[in-house]
Amino acid sequence: MSGLNIRKWFHLFWTTLLVGSAGAVAAGLALQGIGGAVPFTSLTDFFLYALILFGYGMLVSVYSQLGFFAYLILNYMGFGVFPRKIWQYIQLALAVIALFDLIFLRSFVGGERSLISDLTLGLSILIAAIAVAYFKVRDTNASAWIPTFFFMTGITIVEMIGVLRIGVDNATLFIVVPLIACNAFQILRLHHIVRPAAESSG
């Protein structure tokens, strides 16, 4: 984290804003194309809708960045308190628990939730996490796999708690797409903007 100066943070901040906005616009237009929930009476309505999605994506990206820096602090403290291998095992266990809770416990305990919806969401997050961890390891080293996997699963699910309580699939999709895009972008950019010695801890 010591290599993350103001100039680099500013660059990461604005590029993540754009990633979040693009993800929100893509998710919103995809839902509109599938369900057509918002009636457009003119081309102006379409561009206004896209603009609202763009702004919403920026808000999600800011939320994502707060989670990202909270994770960096947590990771730094974890390595300071626990031996490296123990802390990685803890992260892996927390990631598995978060996924298990998302996929199964909400449906079985809550009853009103659809297992298929939760299973689809959980598998989507799992696949995205594995893919991002693969590219992270390819660009850095094998020790980055578990921290990246934990960030893309455990931290992402924690960031989604608010919308998960709503229980509306469309609302969940609206935040999941830009959130995963922002989280993936930040964790994959981290080793490019910090000093080489910090690569293995990202």
Side-chain angles (χ1 to χ4, degrees):
M1 282 178 60
S2 59
L4 191 60
N5 57 37
I6 295 298
R7 180 181 61 82
K8 293 178 179 179
W9 174 84
F10 187 76
H11 172 76
L12 181 65
F13 176 79
W14 284 107
T15 51
T16 305
L17 281 182
L18 294 177
V19 170
S21 297
V25 171
L29 294 181
L31 285 175
Q32 179 64 21
I34 295 173
V38 180
F40 296 139
T41 58
S42 67
L43 191 60
T44 302
D45 291 344
F46 173 81
F47 284 112
L48 181 60
Y49 179 66
L51 183 62
I52 292 173
L53 291 174
F54 190 87
Y56 171 76
M58 294 179 70
L59 293 177
V60 173
S61 75
V62 172
Y63 186 61
S64 169
Q65 291 183 66
L66 291 175
F68 179 62
F69 281 99
Y71 163 73
L72 291 180
I73 294 172
L74 175 66
N75 199 36
Y76 179 78
M77 293 176 61
F79 279 123
V81 174
F82 302 100
R84 177 174 293 270
K85 285 190 176 181
I86 297 298
W87 174 236
Q88 294 216 343
Y89 290 147
I90 291 174
Q91 290 182 85
L92 184 59
L94 291 175
V96 172
I97 291 172
L99 284 168
F100 181 81
D101 177 68
L102 175 65
I103 296 175
F104 297 109
L105 292 186
R106 289 205 312 151
S107 297
F108 292 143
V109 175
E112 72 282 356
R113 289 292 306 158
S114 167
L115 177 60
I116 295 179
S117 296
D118 288 344
L119 183 62
T120 301
L121 176 61
L123 289 177
S124 298
I125 293 175
L126 176 62
I127 292 171
I130 292 175
V132 173
Y134 167 78
F135 286 109
K136 183 70 173 182
V137 169
R138 190 187 67 175
D139 291 344
T140 57
N141 54 66
S143 66
W145 199 96
I146 291 180
T148 303
F149 183 77
F150 169 66
F151 174 70
M152 291 300 302
T153 53
I155 301 300
T156 298
I157 292 172
V158 169
E159 291 172 332
M160 292 168 48
I161 287 179
V163 73
L164 289 175
R165 289 176 177 173
I166 298 175
V168 178
D169 291 338
N170 284 356
T172 302
L173 186 61
F174 264 122
I175 192 172
V176 167
V177 173
L179 186 61
I180 289 180
C182 289
N183 285 349
F185 177 77
Q186 290 177 101
I187 200 70
L188 290 176
R189 286 295 303 165
L190 180 62
H191 59 278
H192 293 290
I193 61 178
V194 299
R195 62 183 185 181
E199 287 183 9
S200 63
S201 65

